[in-house]
Structures are given as C-alpha cells and as structure tokens.
Amino acid sequence: MSPIELNKRQDTILQIVKENGPITGEQIAERLNLTRATLRPDLAILTMAGYLDARPRVGYFYSGKKTMTTASESMMNLKVGDFQSLPVVVSENMTVYDAIVQLFLEDVGTLFVVDDQSYLQGVLSRKDLLRTSIGTQELTKIPVHIIMSRMPNIVYCKKTDSLIGAAKKLIERQVDSLPVVNETEKGLEIVGRLTKTNVTKAFISLAETHDL
Ligand code: ADP
C-alpha cells in the first residue's frame, strides 16, 4: 500500500531542520509561530519514524534517510508525554452550574477535580453533568464533589507511560480521558490530559510517517 504523505506541518518541519539543523524544538516552534507543546507530537513521530535525529542539548537534525522502523515498532515507542493535552482543573467546591460553564469555555469533554492543595480528587464527564442537569433544578447549589467519580477509582497514567498502554486503559475502562499525573507522597499532581482524540491523532501520524 502506498504511504499517506506527511502532513503540511511535518513537511515544513523537515524543511526547516534540513536547512537549519541542528536546531532546537523551541527554535522550530518560533519559526512556525507555534508553541513547543503544539509541535511535540510531530517532532516525536518524525524522530520515531527516522526522518529526524534528536540529540539532547543539541537539537534536531535531518537524518538524510528514512530508517526502516516499522509502524508497529514506532507505535510501541510513543509516549503519553508527547501527545497529551493541557488539563482543565476545577475545585471540589465549584458548583455544577459553573462546571458546565467551564466545560464550554475550555472546550473539553472532561474536567478534573482537585482539592485545595491541587491534588487529584475526581473526574467529571459530560454525562455526569448532563445527568445532574436533568435530575435537578439546583445546579447553582450542588458542588461537583457530590456528583464526580472519585479517588481511588480514577484511572490515570504518567507522562513516561507508553501511549498504547494508556490507550488500552481508555478502552478497557470505557472512559474518554485519563489525567496524566506525577505520583507524590501527598497525592497525585495533574500535569496533563490524555484523550481518545490524542490517541487518534497519533494513529494518523503513524500512517503519515510510515509506509504501511
Ligand atoms: P461520558 O460519561 O460523557 O460518556 P466518559 O465515558 O469519560 O464520559 O465517563 C464515563 C464515566 O466514567 C463518568 O461517570 C466519569 O465520571 C467516569 N470517568 C471518566 N474518566 C474517568 C477516569 N479517568 N477514571 C475513572 N472514572 C472516569
């Protein structure tokens, strides 16, 4: 089967690195007027597929040739940290009404709930909020901790976990997103959000960068 071509942004990144490498991710982002975080998935997948080489503290350079990494090898190497999104966090005492507003303002499907020390306490999905909305008129009075799914039943992952392992958790537990956390002695610090959309984007990138 013929490969799907690199997407436009990936092509542009390759061009920039060809002409300017070694160049840091930060510098590539600057040239494209994007943040380093936005570029992270493309850089991870281009490196994984062998188009680019990355040296710590030096930057990216064009490898000159595509290595023979298979899509399945690359897939096993993808990490949560390269594909995660920013988390949207609310306090346990926020009202259900305000949480719904937040869901729309931030354009996400899941909110993570934290205590006053910012440790993960629960998760609120779209349907958690909908269910409460059709069941009561008191949305401005009920705090979200009453209706959220709570610890210790929250399924989460870490930045360094494999993307495929996290994807399995999403499917097996039938949830739309996982908090990405740092485990500390005091609790779980939220550092990201991994959604089915992040996994789907990684899947498309694999097709774009490998001969399938
Ligand atoms: P929705 O309910 O909108 O379809 P989900 O499938 O993500 O969205 O959520 C299903 C249920 O699982 C909800 O009650 C939600 O609170 C809970 N939930 C969502 N994400 C997690 C998670 N990472 N860990 C534990 N429970 C979760």
PDB file of all heavy atoms in Angstrom, residues 11-42:
ATOM      1  N   ASP A  11       5.977  18.359   6.831  1.00  0.00           N
ATOM      2  CA  ASP A  11       6.830  18.717   5.697  1.00  0.00           C
ATOM      3  C   ASP A  11       7.628  19.984   5.988  1.00  0.00           C
ATOM      4  O   ASP A  11       8.828  20.059   5.725  1.00  0.00           O
ATOM      5  CB  ASP A  11       5.958  18.983   4.451  1.00  0.00           C
ATOM      6  CG  ASP A  11       5.973  17.800   3.507  1.00  0.00           C
ATOM      7  OD1 ASP A  11       6.902  16.976   3.608  1.00  0.00           O
ATOM      8  OD2 ASP A  11       5.051  17.707   2.687  1.00  0.00           O
ATOM      9  N   THR A  12       6.919  20.971   6.547  1.00  0.00           N
ATOM     10  CA  THR A  12       7.570  22.255   6.851  1.00  0.00           C
ATOM     11  C   THR A  12       8.659  22.061   7.904  1.00  0.00           C
ATOM     12  O   THR A  12       9.752  22.629   7.786  1.00  0.00           O
ATOM     13  CB  THR A  12       6.524  23.270   7.370  1.00  0.00           C
ATOM     14  OG1 THR A  12       5.414  23.248   6.493  1.00  0.00           O
ATOM     15  CG2 THR A  12       7.091  24.666   7.427  1.00  0.00           C
ATOM     16  N   ILE A  13       8.367  21.255   8.917  1.00  0.00           N
ATOM     17  CA  ILE A  13       9.369  20.998   9.961  1.00  0.00           C
ATOM     18  C   ILE A  13      10.616  20.368   9.342  1.00  0.00           C
ATOM     19  O   ILE A  13      11.750  20.790   9.603  1.00  0.00           O
ATOM     20  CB  ILE A  13       8.796  20.068  11.062  1.00  0.00           C
ATOM     21  CG1 ILE A  13       7.672  20.781  11.821  1.00  0.00           C
ATOM     22  CG2 ILE A  13       9.902  19.631  12.037  1.00  0.00           C
ATOM     23  CD1 ILE A  13       6.912  19.878  12.778  1.00  0.00           C
ATOM     24  N   LEU A  14      10.407  19.371   8.474  1.00  0.00           N
ATOM     25  CA  LEU A  14      11.551  18.706   7.825  1.00  0.00           C
ATOM     26  C   LEU A  14      12.391  19.714   7.048  1.00  0.00           C
ATOM     27  O   LEU A  14      13.622  19.691   7.110  1.00  0.00           O
ATOM     28  CB  LEU A  14      11.056  17.633   6.861  1.00  0.00           C
ATOM     29  CG  LEU A  14      10.784  16.241   7.428  1.00  0.00           C
ATOM     30  CD1 LEU A  14      10.548  15.255   6.295  1.00  0.00           C
ATOM     31  CD2 LEU A  14      11.939  15.761   8.300  1.00  0.00           C
ATOM     32  N   GLN A  15      11.696  20.592   6.319  1.00  0.00           N
ATOM     33  CA  GLN A  15      12.381  21.608   5.526  1.00  0.00           C
ATOM     34  C   GLN A  15      13.228  22.517   6.421  1.00  0.00           C
ATOM     35  O   GLN A  15      14.396  22.785   6.132  1.00  0.00           O
ATOM     36  CB  GLN A  15      11.311  22.436   4.784  1.00  0.00           C
ATOM     37  CG  GLN A  15      11.776  23.007   3.472  1.00  0.00           C
ATOM     38  CD  GLN A  15      12.401  21.947   2.561  1.00  0.00           C
ATOM     39  OE1 GLN A  15      11.866  20.844   2.427  1.00  0.00           O
ATOM     40  NE2 GLN A  15      13.555  22.249   1.975  1.00  0.00           N
ATOM     41  N   ILE A  16      12.621  22.961   7.538  1.00  0.00           N
ATOM     42  CA  ILE A  16      13.333  23.844   8.471  1.00  0.00           C
ATOM     43  C   ILE A  16      14.567  23.145   9.034  1.00  0.00           C
ATOM     44  O   ILE A  16      15.658  23.716   9.105  1.00  0.00           O
ATOM     45  CB  ILE A  16      12.398  24.280   9.626  1.00  0.00           C
ATOM     46  CG1 ILE A  16      11.310  25.212   9.092  1.00  0.00           C
ATOM     47  CG2 ILE A  16      13.172  24.955  10.755  1.00  0.00           C
ATOM     48  CD1 ILE A  16      10.252  25.591  10.122  1.00  0.00           C
ATOM     49  N   VAL A  17      14.401  21.869   9.406  1.00  0.00           N
ATOM     50  CA  VAL A  17      15.524  21.150  10.011  1.00  0.00           C
ATOM     51  C   VAL A  17      16.616  20.881   8.965  1.00  0.00           C
ATOM     52  O   VAL A  17      17.803  21.007   9.250  1.00  0.00           O
ATOM     53  CB  VAL A  17      15.061  19.839  10.686  1.00  0.00           C
ATOM     54  CG1 VAL A  17      16.240  19.096  11.274  1.00  0.00           C
ATOM     55  CG2 VAL A  17      14.027  20.136  11.765  1.00  0.00           C
ATOM     56  N   LYS A  18      16.196  20.564   7.739  1.00  0.00           N
ATOM     57  CA  LYS A  18      17.162  20.325   6.655  1.00  0.00           C
ATOM     58  C   LYS A  18      18.050  21.548   6.477  1.00  0.00           C
ATOM     59  O   LYS A  18      19.258  21.444   6.342  1.00  0.00           O
ATOM     60  CB  LYS A  18      16.398  20.092   5.334  1.00  0.00           C
ATOM     61  CG  LYS A  18      16.445  18.665   4.842  1.00  0.00           C
ATOM     62  CD  LYS A  18      15.830  18.614   3.444  1.00  0.00           C
ATOM     63  CE  LYS A  18      15.008  17.355   3.287  1.00  0.00           C
ATOM     64  NZ  LYS A  18      14.277  17.314   2.011  1.00  0.00           N
ATOM     65  N   GLU A  19      17.414  22.718   6.483  1.00  0.00           N
ATOM     66  CA  GLU A  19      18.144  23.953   6.191  1.00  0.00           C
ATOM     67  C   GLU A  19      18.889  24.523   7.386  1.00  0.00           C
ATOM     68  O   GLU A  19      19.885  25.212   7.238  1.00  0.00           O
ATOM     69  CB  GLU A  19      17.175  25.021   5.638  1.00  0.00           C
ATOM     70  CG  GLU A  19      16.749  24.702   4.222  1.00  0.00           C
ATOM     71  CD  GLU A  19      15.524  25.493   3.773  1.00  0.00           C
ATOM     72  OE1 GLU A  19      15.146  26.460   4.470  1.00  0.00           O
ATOM     73  OE2 GLU A  19      14.947  25.129   2.731  1.00  0.00           O
ATOM     74  N   ASN A  20      18.406  24.232   8.585  1.00  0.00           N
ATOM     75  CA  ASN A  20      18.966  24.923   9.760  1.00  0.00           C
ATOM     76  C   ASN A  20      19.528  24.006  10.848  1.00  0.00           C
ATOM     77  O   ASN A  20      20.036  24.493  11.856  1.00  0.00           O
ATOM     78  CB  ASN A  20      17.897  25.811  10.405  1.00  0.00           C
ATOM     79  CG  ASN A  20      17.292  26.773   9.410  1.00  0.00           C
ATOM     80  OD1 ASN A  20      17.900  27.768   9.067  1.00  0.00           O
ATOM     81  ND2 ASN A  20      16.110  26.448   8.927  1.00  0.00           N
ATOM     82  N   GLY A  21      19.398  22.702  10.672  1.00  0.00           N
ATOM     83  CA  GLY A  21      19.783  21.785  11.743  1.00  0.00           C
ATOM     84  C   GLY A  21      21.257  21.824  12.029  1.00  0.00           C
ATOM     85  O   GLY A  21      22.035  22.160  11.144  1.00  0.00           O
ATOM     86  N   PRO A  22      21.752  21.516  13.239  1.00  0.00           N
ATOM     87  CA  PRO A  22      20.878  21.182  14.358  1.00  0.00           C
ATOM     88  C   PRO A  22      20.124  22.404  14.884  1.00  0.00           C
ATOM     89  O   PRO A  22      20.696  23.490  14.964  1.00  0.00           O
ATOM     90  CB  PRO A  22      21.855  20.654  15.423  1.00  0.00           C
ATOM     91  CG  PRO A  22      23.176  21.233  15.064  1.00  0.00           C
ATOM     92  CD  PRO A  22      23.165  21.464  13.587  1.00  0.00           C
ATOM     93  N   ILE A  23      18.883  22.184  15.234  1.00  0.00           N
ATOM     94  CA  ILE A  23      18.020  23.271  15.687  1.00  0.00           C
ATOM     95  C   ILE A  23      17.124  22.717  16.808  1.00  0.00           C
ATOM     96  O   ILE A  23      16.692  21.560  16.727  1.00  0.00           O
ATOM     97  CB  ILE A  23      17.194  23.830  14.489  1.00  0.00           C
ATOM     98  CG1 ILE A  23      16.252  24.955  14.915  1.00  0.00           C
ATOM     99  CG2 ILE A  23      16.403  22.734  13.764  1.00  0.00           C
ATOM    100  CD1 ILE A  23      15.629  25.708  13.735  1.00  0.00           C
ATOM    101  N   THR A  24      16.891  23.524  17.819  1.00  0.00           N
ATOM    102  CA  THR A  24      16.095  23.018  18.956  1.00  0.00           C
ATOM    103  C   THR A  24      14.598  23.066  18.628  1.00  0.00           C
ATOM    104  O   THR A  24      14.176  23.817  17.742  1.00  0.00           O
ATOM    105  CB  THR A  24      16.320  23.860  20.228  1.00  0.00           C
ATOM    106  OG1 THR A  24      15.829  25.186  19.974  1.00  0.00           O
ATOM    107  CG2 THR A  24      17.790  23.932  20.603  1.00  0.00           C
ATOM    108  N   GLY A  25      13.826  22.291  19.381  1.00  0.00           N
ATOM    109  CA  GLY A  25      12.373  22.289  19.218  1.00  0.00           C
ATOM    110  C   GLY A  25      11.806  23.680  19.429  1.00  0.00           C
ATOM    111  O   GLY A  25      10.903  24.125  18.706  1.00  0.00           O
ATOM    112  N   GLU A  26      12.376  24.368  20.402  1.00  0.00           N
ATOM    113  CA  GLU A  26      11.951  25.735  20.715  1.00  0.00           C
ATOM    114  C   GLU A  26      12.144  26.651  19.505  1.00  0.00           C
ATOM    115  O   GLU A  26      11.257  27.433  19.154  1.00  0.00           O
ATOM    116  CB  GLU A  26      12.819  26.232  21.892  1.00  0.00           C
ATOM    117  CG  GLU A  26      12.245  27.372  22.686  1.00  0.00           C
ATOM    118  CD  GLU A  26      10.980  26.963  23.433  1.00  0.00           C
ATOM    119  OE1 GLU A  26      11.021  25.975  24.203  1.00  0.00           O
ATOM    120  OE2 GLU A  26       9.980  27.640  23.213  1.00  0.00           O
ATOM    121  N   GLN A  27      13.290  26.523  18.849  1.00  0.00           N
ATOM    122  CA  GLN A  27      13.579  27.380  17.682  1.00  0.00           C
ATOM    123  C   GLN A  27      12.666  27.054  16.494  1.00  0.00           C
ATOM    124  O   GLN A  27      12.229  27.954  15.784  1.00  0.00           O
ATOM    125  CB  GLN A  27      15.051  27.226  17.272  1.00  0.00           C
ATOM    126  CG  GLN A  27      15.999  27.868  18.276  1.00  0.00           C
ATOM    127  CD  GLN A  27      17.447  27.415  18.091  1.00  0.00           C
ATOM    128  OE1 GLN A  27      17.711  26.320  17.589  1.00  0.00           O
ATOM    129  NE2 GLN A  27      18.372  28.251  18.521  1.00  0.00           N
ATOM    130  N   ILE A  28      12.386  25.756  16.328  1.00  0.00           N
ATOM    131  CA  ILE A  28      11.473  25.370  15.234  1.00  0.00           C
ATOM    132  C   ILE A  28      10.096  25.970  15.510  1.00  0.00           C
ATOM    133  O   ILE A  28       9.453  26.544  14.625  1.00  0.00           O
ATOM    134  CB  ILE A  28      11.357  23.829  15.115  1.00  0.00           C
ATOM    135  CG1 ILE A  28      12.724  23.197  14.833  1.00  0.00           C
ATOM    136  CG2 ILE A  28      10.363  23.449  14.018  1.00  0.00           C
ATOM    137  CD1 ILE A  28      12.732  21.676  14.909  1.00  0.00           C
ATOM    138  N   ALA A  29       9.671  25.873  16.766  1.00  0.00           N
ATOM    139  CA  ALA A  29       8.358  26.401  17.151  1.00  0.00           C
ATOM    140  C   ALA A  29       8.289  27.906  16.877  1.00  0.00           C
ATOM    141  O   ALA A  29       7.294  28.408  16.353  1.00  0.00           O
ATOM    142  CB  ALA A  29       8.093  26.105  18.620  1.00  0.00           C
ATOM    143  N   GLU A  30       9.358  28.606  17.214  1.00  0.00           N
ATOM    144  CA  GLU A  30       9.393  30.054  16.992  1.00  0.00           C
ATOM    145  C   GLU A  30       9.202  30.396  15.518  1.00  0.00           C
ATOM    146  O   GLU A  30       8.425  31.275  15.157  1.00  0.00           O
ATOM    147  CB  GLU A  30      10.757  30.590  17.429  1.00  0.00           C
ATOM    148  CG  GLU A  30      10.698  31.484  18.662  1.00  0.00           C
ATOM    149  CD  GLU A  30      12.089  31.740  19.194  1.00  0.00           C
ATOM    150  OE1 GLU A  30      12.946  32.199  18.407  1.00  0.00           O
ATOM    151  OE2 GLU A  30      12.321  31.437  20.389  1.00  0.00           O
ATOM    152  N   ARG A  31       9.907  29.665  14.670  1.00  0.00           N
ATOM    153  CA  ARG A  31       9.800  29.935  13.228  1.00  0.00           C
ATOM    154  C   ARG A  31       8.387  29.702  12.710  1.00  0.00           C
ATOM    155  O   ARG A  31       7.952  30.326  11.744  1.00  0.00           O
ATOM    156  CB  ARG A  31      10.747  29.021  12.443  1.00  0.00           C
ATOM    157  CG  ARG A  31      12.151  29.534  12.481  1.00  0.00           C
ATOM    158  CD  ARG A  31      13.099  28.482  11.924  1.00  0.00           C
ATOM    159  NE  ARG A  31      14.456  28.954  12.071  1.00  0.00           N
ATOM    160  CZ  ARG A  31      15.165  29.488  11.086  1.00  0.00           C
ATOM    161  NH1 ARG A  31      14.641  29.603   9.897  1.00  0.00           N
ATOM    162  NH2 ARG A  31      16.386  29.906  11.309  1.00  0.00           N
ATOM    163  N   LEU A  32       7.695  28.756  13.314  1.00  0.00           N
ATOM    164  CA  LEU A  32       6.342  28.438  12.841  1.00  0.00           C
ATOM    165  C   LEU A  32       5.282  29.224  13.595  1.00  0.00           C
ATOM    166  O   LEU A  32       4.084  29.052  13.359  1.00  0.00           O
ATOM    167  CB  LEU A  32       6.086  26.932  13.010  1.00  0.00           C
ATOM    168  CG  LEU A  32       6.909  26.023  12.101  1.00  0.00           C
ATOM    169  CD1 LEU A  32       6.723  24.567  12.481  1.00  0.00           C
ATOM    170  CD2 LEU A  32       6.491  26.238  10.653  1.00  0.00           C
ATOM    171  N   ASN A  33       5.747  30.057  14.537  1.00  0.00           N
ATOM    172  CA  ASN A  33       4.806  30.811  15.355  1.00  0.00           C
ATOM    173  C   ASN A  33       3.864  29.923  16.164  1.00  0.00           C
ATOM    174  O   ASN A  33       2.676  30.199  16.308  1.00  0.00           O
ATOM    175  CB  ASN A  33       3.977  31.733  14.460  1.00  0.00           C
ATOM    176  CG  ASN A  33       4.169  33.158  14.872  1.00  0.00           C
ATOM    177  OD1 ASN A  33       4.506  33.406  16.037  1.00  0.00           O
ATOM    178  ND2 ASN A  33       3.958  34.084  13.951  1.00  0.00           N
ATOM    179  N   LEU A  34       4.402  28.802  16.634  1.00  0.00           N
ATOM    180  CA  LEU A  34       3.609  27.863  17.431  1.00  0.00           C
ATOM    181  C   LEU A  34       4.339  27.637  18.743  1.00  0.00           C
ATOM    182  O   LEU A  34       5.500  28.006  18.885  1.00  0.00           O
ATOM    183  CB  LEU A  34       3.492  26.515  16.691  1.00  0.00           C
ATOM    184  CG  LEU A  34       2.748  26.529  15.360  1.00  0.00           C
ATOM    185  CD1 LEU A  34       2.966  25.214  14.621  1.00  0.00           C
ATOM    186  CD2 LEU A  34       1.255  26.754  15.602  1.00  0.00           C
ATOM    187  N   THR A  35       3.653  26.992  19.705  1.00  0.00           N
ATOM    188  CA  THR A  35       4.348  26.664  20.951  1.00  0.00           C
ATOM    189  C   THR A  35       5.072  25.330  20.779  1.00  0.00           C
ATOM    190  O   THR A  35       4.712  24.519  19.924  1.00  0.00           O
ATOM    191  CB  THR A  35       3.371  26.526  22.127  1.00  0.00           C
ATOM    192  OG1 THR A  35       2.520  25.405  21.867  1.00  0.00           O
ATOM    193  CG2 THR A  35       2.539  27.780  22.306  1.00  0.00           C
ATOM    194  N   ARG A  36       6.066  25.119  21.629  1.00  0.00           N
ATOM    195  CA  ARG A  36       6.813  23.857  21.625  1.00  0.00           C
ATOM    196  C   ARG A  36       5.857  22.688  21.892  1.00  0.00           C
ATOM    197  O   ARG A  36       5.972  21.626  21.296  1.00  0.00           O
ATOM    198  CB  ARG A  36       7.890  23.936  22.715  1.00  0.00           C
ATOM    199  CG  ARG A  36       8.662  22.658  22.967  1.00  0.00           C
ATOM    200  CD  ARG A  36       9.659  22.398  21.857  1.00  0.00           C
ATOM    201  NE  ARG A  36      10.417  21.176  22.089  1.00  0.00           N
ATOM    202  CZ  ARG A  36       9.979  19.964  21.770  1.00  0.00           C
ATOM    203  NH1 ARG A  36       8.793  19.807  21.240  1.00  0.00           N
ATOM    204  NH2 ARG A  36      10.740  18.894  21.992  1.00  0.00           N
ATOM    205  N   ALA A  37       4.873  22.928  22.771  1.00  0.00           N
ATOM    206  CA  ALA A  37       3.915  21.874  23.130  1.00  0.00           C
ATOM    207  C   ALA A  37       3.087  21.439  21.918  1.00  0.00           C
ATOM    208  O   ALA A  37       2.825  20.247  21.727  1.00  0.00           O
ATOM    209  CB  ALA A  37       3.012  22.341  24.250  1.00  0.00           C
ATOM    210  N   THR A  38       2.720  22.406  21.084  1.00  0.00           N
ATOM    211  CA  THR A  38       1.917  22.074  19.900  1.00  0.00           C
ATOM    212  C   THR A  38       2.711  21.204  18.928  1.00  0.00           C
ATOM    213  O   THR A  38       2.167  20.339  18.259  1.00  0.00           O
ATOM    214  CB  THR A  38       1.486  23.381  19.175  1.00  0.00           C
ATOM    215  OG1 THR A  38       0.924  24.255  20.140  1.00  0.00           O
ATOM    216  CG2 THR A  38       0.500  23.129  18.075  1.00  0.00           C
ATOM    217  N   LEU A  39       4.019  21.449  18.868  1.00  0.00           N
ATOM    218  CA  LEU A  39       4.862  20.703  17.925  1.00  0.00           C
ATOM    219  C   LEU A  39       5.285  19.334  18.435  1.00  0.00           C
ATOM    220  O   LEU A  39       5.739  18.497  17.658  1.00  0.00           O
ATOM    221  CB  LEU A  39       6.145  21.500  17.639  1.00  0.00           C
ATOM    222  CG  LEU A  39       6.064  22.643  16.655  1.00  0.00           C
ATOM    223  CD1 LEU A  39       7.473  23.074  16.299  1.00  0.00           C
ATOM    224  CD2 LEU A  39       5.329  22.211  15.397  1.00  0.00           C
ATOM    225  N   ARG A  40       5.145  19.128  19.741  1.00  0.00           N
ATOM    226  CA  ARG A  40       5.706  17.914  20.351  1.00  0.00           C
ATOM    227  C   ARG A  40       5.280  16.614  19.634  1.00  0.00           C
ATOM    228  O   ARG A  40       6.145  15.791  19.324  1.00  0.00           O
ATOM    229  CB  ARG A  40       5.356  17.867  21.845  1.00  0.00           C
ATOM    230  CG  ARG A  40       6.116  16.785  22.589  1.00  0.00           C
ATOM    231  CD  ARG A  40       6.146  17.007  24.072  1.00  0.00           C
ATOM    232  NE  ARG A  40       7.034  18.084  24.450  1.00  0.00           N
ATOM    233  CZ  ARG A  40       6.700  19.105  25.229  1.00  0.00           C
ATOM    234  NH1 ARG A  40       5.494  19.189  25.723  1.00  0.00           N
ATOM    235  NH2 ARG A  40       7.582  20.038  25.520  1.00  0.00           N
ATOM    236  N   PRO A  41       3.964  16.436  19.312  1.00  0.00           N
ATOM    237  CA  PRO A  41       3.584  15.192  18.638  1.00  0.00           C
ATOM    238  C   PRO A  41       4.277  15.017  17.289  1.00  0.00           C
ATOM    239  O   PRO A  41       4.754  13.920  16.985  1.00  0.00           O
ATOM    240  CB  PRO A  41       2.068  15.335  18.446  1.00  0.00           C
ATOM    241  CG  PRO A  41       1.642  16.330  19.457  1.00  0.00           C
ATOM    242  CD  PRO A  41       2.810  17.257  19.654  1.00  0.00           C
ATOM    243  N   ASP A  42       4.366  16.091  16.491  1.00  0.00           N
ATOM    244  CA  ASP A  42       5.007  15.973  15.176  1.00  0.00           C
ATOM    245  C   ASP A  42       6.484  15.627  15.313  1.00  0.00           C
ATOM    246  O   ASP A  42       7.013  14.791  14.586  1.00  0.00           O
ATOM    247  CB  ASP A  42       4.871  17.300  14.402  1.00  0.00           C
ATOM    248  CG  ASP A  42       3.443  17.545  13.938  1.00  0.00           C
ATOM    249  OD1 ASP A  42       2.816  16.596  13.444  1.00  0.00           O
ATOM    250  OD2 ASP A  42       2.962  18.677  14.098  1.00  0.00           O
TER     251      ASP A  42
END
